[in-house]
Amino acid sequence: MTSYLGKDWLVVATKGHIKDLPPKSYGVDLSNQFEPEYEWLKGKKSLFTTITTKAKKCSLIYIASDPDREGEIIAKHCFDELSKLKKPIYRLRLKEITKEELQSQIQKKIGLDQQEIESQIARRVIDRIFGFEVSPDLWKHLKIPSLSAGRVQSTVLHWICEREKEIQNFSKENYFQLKLIGTLNENPIELKYQSKEKLKQEEIQTILNEIQILPDPSRLKNIVLSNLKIKKIKRNPPKAFSTASLLESSFRALQFDSKKTMRLAQSLFEGKKLHAGETVGLITYMRSDSTRVSESKQDLGEKYLKEHYPNLLWEGSRNQGKQKKFSQDAHEAITPINPSLSPEQIKSFLTLDEWKLYQLIWERFLTSLLKPEIGEEIVYEFPIGKHIFEHSFETISDPGFKNFPRPKEKREKISLNAKIGDLFFYESYSVEEKETEPPQRYTQGKLIQKMEDTGVGRPSTYATILETLKLRKYIVEYKKNIGPSQLGLKVDSYLFLNFFDLIGESFTKDLESKLDQITDEKASRVKLVANFYDQLKQILKSPRKKMVSIGKENQSKVKYDTDEKQTLSEKVKNGKGSEKKGNTKNQNQSLTYIENKTCPKCLDGYVKTKLGKNGKTIYFCSRYPHCDYITYDN
C-alpha cells in the first residue's frame, strides 16, 4: 500500500483485532444495557504503543481495516486509542487494494459506521451470553467439565448429527432397471423402461410377460417409434464467486480446507510484489455473499476476452439475476482486480497454492462472462401397450463457456435420423439390479454452501465455525467426510432438546436478519440483546430434558424425559468393555446409535455404529470385546 501512497505516508499494521471480550470472565455488564467490557489481546497493547508513537508524527490518520462488521469494530478500537492524539481520523473501506480505489476512499474522508459497530457488538455480546450461560449448564448435566457451546456452531453441529442419524437409519433397498437392446436405423441403442417408482423383481417379471418377452423372448420382434420430444438446452455459465462458493470449489477442486483458502485469499487481496517490484492487489475483497459484478469489472473482463477468446464472449444484454435470499450484497463477487494478469503471467511471483487459488478465481470470473452452452435433448418414445420405453441423447451445437480456458474435446455426433413410424428391432433384454444409496456425509464445502443458502453465519465466520467445532472435538473429518464425534452427539442431543429455540435454523437466520436491521438503523442493539437474554434465562429456569433409551426391544428409538422423572432401563458404555449396571455417574454419556438388530454372531448383543477413520460407518456388537463382530457392510 505504501507504494501507492508515496513517501509522505506511513503504513502500519494492527495484525487483526487489538481488543476483545476477556477470555475467562463474562465481559458483559448485564446491569448496564449489556455493555461489552473489552481488554487488550495478548501482545497488542505493546504493538499499539508503537503505532501510537508513529501516529504522533502524522497530521492525518486513516484506518483501513476490512470493510465488514469485524473490520468496523477493529476500526473503532483503533479510533478510541488514537483519538487521544487530537488529530483528524478517517475510515477507509477498501473493496480492493488498487491505487484508484485507495485514492477514491481517501478523498471521501468518511468516519466510522456506528450502526455497523452496533450490529457487531450485538452479535458478539449475544454469542458471549450464550457461551457463558449454556456452557456451565452443559458441564453440570453432561458431567463433562470444560465443554463449550457456541450459538451458530451448535446449529451447524446439529446438521452434521442429523445427517449421521439419517445415514444410520438408512435401510438399503434393491430395485431393478429393465432395458431392451436392439437397433434403430441400423444404429445399436438401448431403450430404458420408464416408471415413476423403482421396480421390484416381481414387477419386472409381470412387465416381461405383458410385453410378450416371457415366456418366449423371440416373440417380440420390433417396436414402433410413436413420439419424438425435442427439448432446448441452455446451460448458463456459473456466476462469479461468493465466499461460500469459493470455499466449496476450492475444497472440491484443490483439496484446500476453508481455513487455508481464506488465508490464501487474504494474501492475494493484500497483494504481491510483481514485475516492477510494486505490491499489487490481485483479487477483490474475499468476504462476500454476493455474486454481483460491477460494470467496470465486467468491462475489464470483456476487454481481455475480446482479445484472447472473441468467439466465446457473450454479446447480448447481461442479466446478473437475483442475489440469494439471505445475501446482504454489501460487497461485489470475488474477482481478479485486473483480468489481464493471467495466472501464467504472475506464476513466478506466487507460491504454488496462491497460484492455484488465483487461477480458480480468475477462470471463474471470466467464465461468468461467456456464452451459455446450447443444444438439444432428443427423446424417442416406444410404447408397448401401457408400457413405455425411451431412448434419449443430447446434441450440443455450441459448447459456449465449456470451451474455456481450453476447447472441449469434440465428440463425433451420432445421428439416428429417426422419425415417427420408424422401427426399433429388438434383439435382447437386460435386467440390472441396483441399490438405493444412503445420504452422503457433509464435506466442508457442502456445509459452507448450506450456511449461505440458509442464512446461517456470514462470509466472515464460515471458516471459523468449522474450525471451532474441530477444535472442540465435536466433529471428525476423514477424506473430506465430516461426521460427529461421540462427544459431538452428546452435546448436540442435549442442546437440541433444551435450547432448540435458540440454536434452531430458523432462529439463527432470524437473528442474522435482525443484526442487518441494526446496521440499517431499523432495530436497537440493546433491545435485541435483552430479548435474547430473557429468552435464554427462561429456558435455564425450566426442567432439563435428557435422552434415554426405552428398552432392548426398541433400542433404535429414544425417549425424552425431565431430570425429576428420568429413568434409564439400560445404560450403554461408550467404547470398549462390557455393559455396566448400577453406575448412575455415566447415565446418558453414550449416544452411540444402536440399531434395532440382534448381533448376527453372538445373537445376544445389538448392532451399534460409529464413524470410522476411513470415513465409513462401522457396525459392531454392543457386547464388544466379549463378541468381536465388526463390519463395514450394513
Side-chain angles (χ1 to χ4, degrees):
M1 196 180 289
T2 308
S3 59
Y4 293 152
L5 294 169
K7 62 181 181 180
D8 294 333
W9 289 77
L10 181 64
V11 178
V12 291
T14 66
K15 300 178 182 178
H17 285 271
I18 62 171
K19 295 181 180 181
D20 195 10
L21 300 179
K24 294 183 179 179
S25 60
Y26 211 124
V28 177
D29 190 345
L30 302 176
S31 61
N32 183 25
Q33 297 190 317
F34 304 96
E35 279 298 306
E37 300 169 349
Y38 296 106
E39 66 175 35
W40 288 98
L41 291 170
K42 186 177 180 180
K44 290 302 178 76
K45 188 170 185 179
S46 59
L47 172 65
F48 210 81
T49 299
T50 304
I51 292 174
T52 304
T53 301
K54 293 180 179 181
K56 288 177 181 178
K57 302 174 184 178
C58 301
S59 57
L60 292 175
I61 299 172
Y62 287 87
I63 305 172
S65 49
D66 287 347
D68 56 17
R69 280 181 197 156
E70 297 305 309
E72 210 63 32
I73 199 68
I74 293 172
K76 173 183 166 45
H77 292 153
C78 292
F79 182 91
D80 290 344
E81 294 299 319
L82 294 172
S83 60
K84 300 170 186 177
L85 301 179
K86 308 294 183 184
K87 296 185 179 185
I89 303 176
Y90 303 106
R91 174 84 165 98
L92 298 180
R93 295 184 183 86
L94 302 172
K95 63 183 180 182
E96 57 187 49
I97 299 179
T98 61
K99 193 170 187 176
E100 295 74 21
E101 174 71 4
L102 195 56
Q103 292 299 330
S104 171
Q105 287 290 319
I106 287 172
Q107 289 171 12
K108 290 180 180 179
K109 291 189 176 181
I110 54 179
L112 299 176
D113 186 333
Q114 293 298 335
Q115 292 308 122
E116 190 84 295
I117 292 168
E118 287 286 289
S119 177
Q120 196 280 341
I121 292 173
R123 197 273 306 162
R124 186 72 182 94
V125 168
I126 283 174
D127 286 350
R128 173 52 61 98
I129 290 172
F130 185 90
F132 265 69
E133 296 288 347
V134 176
S135 295
D137 194 69
L138 274 176
W139 309 341
K140 176 182 176 182
H141 293 281
L142 293 187
K143 314 295 185 192
I144 305 174
S146 74
L147 288 178
S148 296
R151 181 182 55 84
V152 181
Q153 295 96 311
S154 297
T155 303
V156 177
L157 176 62
H158 187 61
W159 292 342
I160 296 168
C161 291
E162 285 300 292
R163 177 60 57 86
E164 192 68 19
K165 291 173 187 175
E166 289 173 13
I167 293 169
Q168 293 172 348
N169 280 325
F170 175 79
S171 295
K172 68 181 178 182
E173 178 184 349
N174 290 354
Y175 66 98
F176 297 84
Q177 187 174 75
L178 173 61
K179 296 179 183 178
L180 302 183
I181 302 161
T183 59
L184 177 65
N185 291 345
E186 299 183 352
N187 292 297
I189 64 169
E190 292 181 344
L191 306 185
K192 292 182 180 179
Y193 184 78
Q194 300 303 300
S195 173
K196 292 181 180 179
E197 306 294 333
K198 290 182 171 62
L199 295 174
K200 297 178 181 178
Q201 191 168 20
E202 56 269 23
E203 292 172 319
I204 290 288
Q205 297 302 312
T206 301
I207 293 168
L208 291 173
N209 281 313
E210 290 180 356
I211 64 176
Q212 298 186 341
I213 286 181
L214 293 180
D216 181 8
S218 63
R219 290 183 63 186
L220 182 62
K221 299 295 184 185
N222 52 60
I223 315 170
V224 178
L225 172 59
S226 65
N227 194 19
L228 190 153
K229 300 176 186 174
I230 299 178
K231 302 176 184 177
K232 297 293 182 182
I233 294 172
K234 181 182 178 183
R235 298 187 179 105
N236 291 318
K239 295 180 179 180
F241 281 131
S242 65
T243 300
S245 57
L246 172 63
L247 294 175
E248 196 276 334
S249 294
S250 174
F251 186 78
R252 175 169 39 82
L254 306 177
Q255 311 301 308
F256 294 169
D257 63 25
S258 53
K259 184 178 181 181
K260 179 176 181 177
T261 299
M262 292 308 288
R263 175 172 53 80
L264 293 171
Q266 181 80 42
S267 175
L268 295 174
F269 171 71
E270 291 174 356
K272 292 291 175 180
K273 285 188 177 181
L274 300 185
H275 306 275
E278 185 179 79
T279 300
V280 177
L282 295 176
I283 65 169
T284 55
Y285 189 55
M286 63 285 168
R287 294 184 180 93
S288 173
D289 55 11
S290 174
T291 56
R292 175 176 54 83
V293 177
S294 67
E295 287 188 17
S296 61
K297 194 69 66 183
Q298 283 187 40
D299 291 343
L300 286 174
E302 288 173 359
K303 181 181 178 182
Y304 178 85
L305 289 167
K306 282 176 183 176
E307 184 178 347
H308 296 89
Y309 300 89
N311 296 328
L312 298 182
L313 183 62
W314 174 255
E315 296 176 352
S317 59
R318 191 174 300 282
N319 179 11
Q320 298 196 51
K322 292 182 179 180
Q323 296 300 310
K324 289 195 174 182
K325 182 178 179 181
F326 300 104
S327 171
Q328 292 178 317
D329 200 29
H331 307 292
E332 293 180 34
I334 305 165
T335 65
I337 289 173
N338 182 3
S340 64
L341 287 176
S342 70
E344 289 305 320
Q345 282 181 292
I346 63 173
K347 187 172 185 178
S348 60
F349 302 97
L350 307 178
T351 67
L352 180 59
D353 287 345
E354 287 172 341
W355 178 78
K356 287 179 179 178
L357 189 66
Y358 180 75
Q359 183 181 45
L360 194 70
I361 295 169
W362 182 84
E363 288 186 1
R364 178 66 168 251
F365 166 63
L366 291 175
T367 299
S368 72
L369 303 175
L370 300 178
K371 293 190 291 187
E373 181 184 31
I374 300 296
E376 291 180 339
E377 181 189 19
I378 301 173
V379 181
Y380 296 139
E381 283 189 359
F382 297 83
I384 308 177
K386 65 179 181 180
H387 304 290
I388 294 177
F389 292 82
E390 284 186 357
H391 175 73
S392 63
F393 61 96
E394 288 185 358
T395 59
I396 301 300
S397 56
D398 185 355
F401 71 92
K402 291 192 175 179
N403 267 344
F404 178 82
R406 289 162 293 279
K408 193 176 181 183
E409 185 180 340
K410 290 185 178 180
R411 294 184 180 178
E412 214 177 298
K413 293 182 180 178
I414 300 175
S415 178
L416 297 176
N417 293 320
K419 60 185 183 299
I420 293 175
D422 286 352
L423 296 179
F424 168 81
F425 292 93
Y426 167 77
E427 295 174 357
S428 61
Y429 74 92
S430 69
V431 178
E432 185 179 353
E433 185 175 3
K434 297 187 174 184
E435 288 182 354
T436 51
E437 296 291 332
Q440 296 296 304
R441 289 188 178 92
Y442 288 109
T443 62
Q444 280 197 23
K446 293 300 181 186
L447 275 171
I448 289 168
Q449 199 65 61
K450 183 168 182 176
M451 287 185 227
E452 182 185 69
D453 293 342
T454 57
V456 171
R458 280 293 179 251
S460 58
T461 62
Y462 292 153
T464 55
I465 288 169
L466 295 180
E467 284 301 311
T468 301
L469 288 173
K470 277 200 232 175
L471 188 64
R472 291 174 179 169
K473 297 183 172 25
Y474 292 168
I475 62 175
V476 291
E477 184 175 16
Y478 189 81
K479 291 186 178 179
K480 299 185 181 182
N481 296 306
I482 294 177
S485 65
Q486 288 302 308
L487 180 60
L489 283 167
K490 294 175 191 177
V491 170
D492 172 67
S493 177
Y494 182 77
L495 292 177
F496 179 73
L497 286 174
N498 295 286
F499 297 94
F500 176 75
D501 289 345
L502 299 181
I503 64 170
E505 188 177 305
S506 59
F507 175 85
T508 306
K509 288 188 294 189
D510 185 53
L511 182 58
E512 290 291 347
S513 176
K514 287 175 180 175
L515 292 173
D516 294 342
Q517 289 176 21
I518 294 174
T519 301
D520 297 335
E521 300 185 68
K522 296 177 181 177
S524 160
R525 164 175 68 89
V526 175
K527 186 175 180 180
L528 176 62
V529 176
N531 288 341
F532 177 85
Y533 183 73
D534 291 343
Q535 190 175 357
L536 177 57
K537 280 299 184 183
Q538 284 298 116
I539 293 173
L540 290 170
K541 289 177 183 176
S542 61
R544 292 294 169 275
K545 297 175 183 178
K546 287 190 178 180
M547 190 179 199
V548 298
S549 59
I550 57 174
K552 264 190 173 182
E553 68 280 2
N554 287 304
Q555 287 203 43
S556 63
K557 300 179 181 179
V558 296
K559 177 183 177 183
Y560 307 124
D561 210 340
T562 61
D563 278 351
E564 290 81 357
K565 298 179 181 180
Q566 181 185 350
T567 59
L568 200 61
S569 61
E570 197 169 313
K571 287 159 266 179
V572 183
K573 181 182 176 185
N574 176 26
K576 298 179 180 180
S578 59
E579 297 175 29
K580 292 184 179 181
K581 297 182 180 181
N583 183 359
T584 58
K585 184 177 180 179
N586 288 324
Q587 286 188 1
N588 289 322
Q589 292 305 295
S590 173
L591 290 181
T592 301
Y593 186 84
I594 305 176
E595 296 279 348
N596 189 14
K597 296 178 183 177
T598 302
C599 172
K601 187 168 186 178
C602 70
L603 303 179
D604 188 26
Y606 288 81
V607 178
K608 297 170 67 177
T609 69
K610 67 178 181 179
L611 179 64
K613 289 184 178 180
N614 61 359
K616 295 181 180 180
T617 301
I618 299 173
Y619 300 84
F620 61 100
C621 181
S622 61
R623 295 182 62 249
Y624 179 88
H626 302 289
C627 172
D628 61 359
Y629 170 75
I630 184 168
T631 181
Y632 289 116
D633 186 10
N634 189 1

